[in-house]
Amino acid sequence: MKITKSVYGKEENDIDKFNELDLDERSIVFYSESSVILYPYVEEMIKELQNREQKICYLISSKDDPVLKNENKSVRVFYIGDSEIEKMKFFLRLKAKVLITTMPDLGSYHIKRSKVFPVHYIYAFHDMQSTHMVKRKGSLDQFDSIFCVGPYQVQELRATEQLYNLKQKNLVECGYGLL
């Protein structure tokens, strides 16, 4: 993938190409804000989805993301740029069945829930730490599902939901891919 500048000096991105896909082609979407944040932690998930012949889109905001060198045709990579305003506008209009990310704070900063489509948001941990010892209060509240490293994270998240009277999430014990 080649990233270039347009005639207006703005960086070109693949947002239009992504939005032109049929919903089935962008039903499972991964988002990585930084070149070191996502792929190593979701690689096993992606391999399992590939084994099941699922189509996968991988959105990136970093020109240095190693996934740009990915040769696998079942993972379509789209550079959406690194402008906070452009990302916010993009995510507010996102049409996808599932979005998986390791970035917490959905809805708090520039990554907002889609206003035009019922996207199912999944948080995947990129660490094995306690959910309440290192995360900001409320940083996982807006997700629909959370892929937990182990039972301690499930227990902590359930206790948080009960304590703050939050809607229950779908919590899945899926281990830690780097192990």
Side-chain angles (χ1 to χ4, degrees):
M1 167 184 264
K2 185 177 179 185
I3 298 170
T4 60
K5 297 252 185 202
S6 74
V7 292
Y8 302 107
K10 287 182 73 180
E11 186 173 77
E12 289 185 14
N13 60 47
D14 298 322
I15 290 174
D16 290 337
K17 291 178 191 172
F18 174 81
N19 286 331
E20 290 170 3
L21 295 175
D22 292 326
L23 186 57
D24 287 341
E25 292 179 295
R26 56 181 157 151
S27 63
I28 302 173
V29 177
F30 289 83
Y31 172 63
S32 178
E33 183 175 43
S34 158
S35 63
V36 296
I37 295 298
L38 184 65
Y39 195 78
Y41 307 102
V42 298
E43 185 175 15
E44 292 304 314
M45 284 184 245
I46 290 173
K47 286 178 183 176
E48 182 60 32
L49 289 167
Q50 290 171 324
N51 289 340
R52 296 173 187 219
E53 298 181 6
Q54 294 290 317
K55 294 177 183 169
I56 300 164
C57 290
Y58 194 98
L59 306 177
I60 59 169
S61 290
S62 172
K63 295 178 224 170
D64 301 327
D65 199 308
V67 80
L68 285 169
K69 297 176 180 131
N70 180 28
E71 304 276 328
N72 192 316
K73 302 296 181 216
S74 66
V75 177
R76 297 185 68 178
V77 179
F78 298 89
Y79 175 71
I80 63 168
D82 60 5
S83 159
E84 303 302 318
I85 293 170
E86 290 299 316
K87 286 189 286 188
M88 186 183 322
K89 290 189 320 190
F90 172 78
F91 283 106
L92 282 169
R93 296 186 301 251
L94 178 65
K95 289 183 183 174
K97 293 179 183 174
V98 173
L99 177 82
I100 303 167
T101 186
T102 62
M103 191 176 77
D105 297 306
L106 176 65
S108 298
Y109 300 106
H110 59 280
I111 306 300
K112 307 287 187 194
R113 290 183 74 96
S114 176
K115 299 289 186 196
V116 299
F117 198 81
V119 178
H120 187 91
Y121 292 87
I122 299 174
Y123 179 79
F125 282 94
H126 60 271
D127 56 50
M128 297 176 63
Q129 298 171 337
S130 166
T131 63
H132 62 272
M133 297 296 285
V134 294
K135 301 277 186 259
R136 280 186 287 281
K137 179 183 175 197
S139 65
L140 301 176
D141 291 354
Q142 297 298 312
F143 288 93
D144 302 303
S145 295
I146 299 180
F147 290 165
C148 299
V149 172
Y152 63 96
Q153 289 180 334
V154 172
Q155 292 166 355
E156 291 172 353
L157 290 165
R158 288 289 181 235
T160 300
E161 290 169 347
Q162 187 174 18
L163 180 65
Y164 295 108
N165 198 27
L166 301 171
K167 179 183 170 198
Q168 277 200 345
K169 293 163 207 49
N170 180 30
L171 304 180
V172 179
E173 281 186 53
C174 61
Y176 190 61
L178 293 181
L179 294 179

